Structures are given as structure tokens and as C-alpha cells.
Amino acid sequence: MELILWLINELHVSRKQAEGAAGALLQLAQARMDRKQFTTVADTLPAISDIIGKSPRFKVAEKPRLTESLSRALGGLGGLKPLAEPFAKLGLDKTSIRPFAQALSQYINQRGHSEAVTLLQQVWR
């Protein structure tokens, strides 16, 4: 998969980490977007189901909690907070979550899908 190779080269991580982290980010997006919004994102990434399937499983609330909003306001992970656990399972520190989200957004944006990037960024803030 082109995305995974791009993440490996961009972030200097293993294939398992690239697949799992991308899958976790997309799993969070899928849980928090309505079907139409997620279809817009899914249409930009071939094999999105395979990517999501590589993610460690984790529980995510459909709507961000107040603590996530407070976290974002204080410079923390915000809407990305649920990803700390799956990233840890991949041997990645929580400080790597934002760089992965930025890299995934950049990959999609470089392919001309700015609407999908905007939708993802709304979920991940």
C-alpha cells in the first residue's frame, strides 16, 4: 500500500507501526463521523478496510468527551486522546499521534482531497 510505505519513510517507523497507527486514526474517524462523511474519506484511500483492520482494537466514544475538549484547550491530545492506548500497543509514544495525523492528512491532501482532510481534522482536533 502506497500510504503505508509513505508513512514508513516519512515517520521512520516499522510497517506494523505505520499500519496500526493509520488504522487507529481511521477507526477513530469512522466512529465519530456520519456515514456520508466517512465515505468521503474512504473514497480517498484504497483498501481502507484493510488499514483499519491492522489497528489494535480500542474503545472510542462517538462524541468527544468534555475531558478531550479541555485537553485540546490546554495543549494536549484533544480528540486524539483515545489513541494513546492503541499507539502504546504499537510501541509508539503518545507524542507520535499528532505527527501521524499530520502525515496522513498531508498524504491525502497531496492527492487532491482537501474535503476529506478537513473532515479528518475536525474529528482529530
Side-chain angles (χ1 to χ4, degrees):
M1 279 180 235
E2 187 179 324
L3 167 63
I4 301 308
L5 293 176
W6 191 83
L7 289 171
I8 291 168
N9 291 326
E10 196 70 20
L11 300 170
H12 309 288
V13 295
S14 72
R15 179 173 200 82
K16 182 180 179 179
Q17 289 172 323
E19 290 171 339
L25 283 159
L26 293 168
Q27 184 180 340
L28 177 67
Q30 185 177 31
R32 293 203 171 154
M33 288 180 177
D34 66 35
R35 175 175 246 123
K36 183 179 177 189
Q37 290 173 323
F38 190 72
T39 298
T40 299
V41 172
D43 288 346
T44 69
L45 295 169
I48 193 168
S49 295
D50 292 339
I51 297 169
I52 291 172
K54 303 280 182 168
S55 167
R57 292 291 151 226
F58 64 102
K59 199 170 195 172
V60 59
E62 287 184 25
K63 302 246 186 228
R65 296 179 181 177
L66 179 59
T67 56
E68 291 176 23
S69 298
L70 287 172
S71 170
R72 184 180 70 239
L74 297 173
L77 291 173
L80 296 171
K81 189 175 180 183
L83 298 177
E85 181 183 333
F87 269 63
K89 289 178 182 176
L90 295 165
L92 296 167
D93 187 81
K94 66 181 178 182
T95 60
S96 64
I97 298 171
R98 283 223 185 272
F100 264 98
Q102 291 165 346
L104 184 54
S105 294
Q106 183 181 2
Y107 177 87
I108 294 169
N109 197 47
Q110 287 176 348
R111 278 137 190 86
H113 302 288
S114 59
E115 181 184 358
V117 171
T118 299
L119 291 169
L120 288 169
Q121 289 175 343
Q122 288 172 352
V123 170
W124 294 340
R125 41 177 187 158

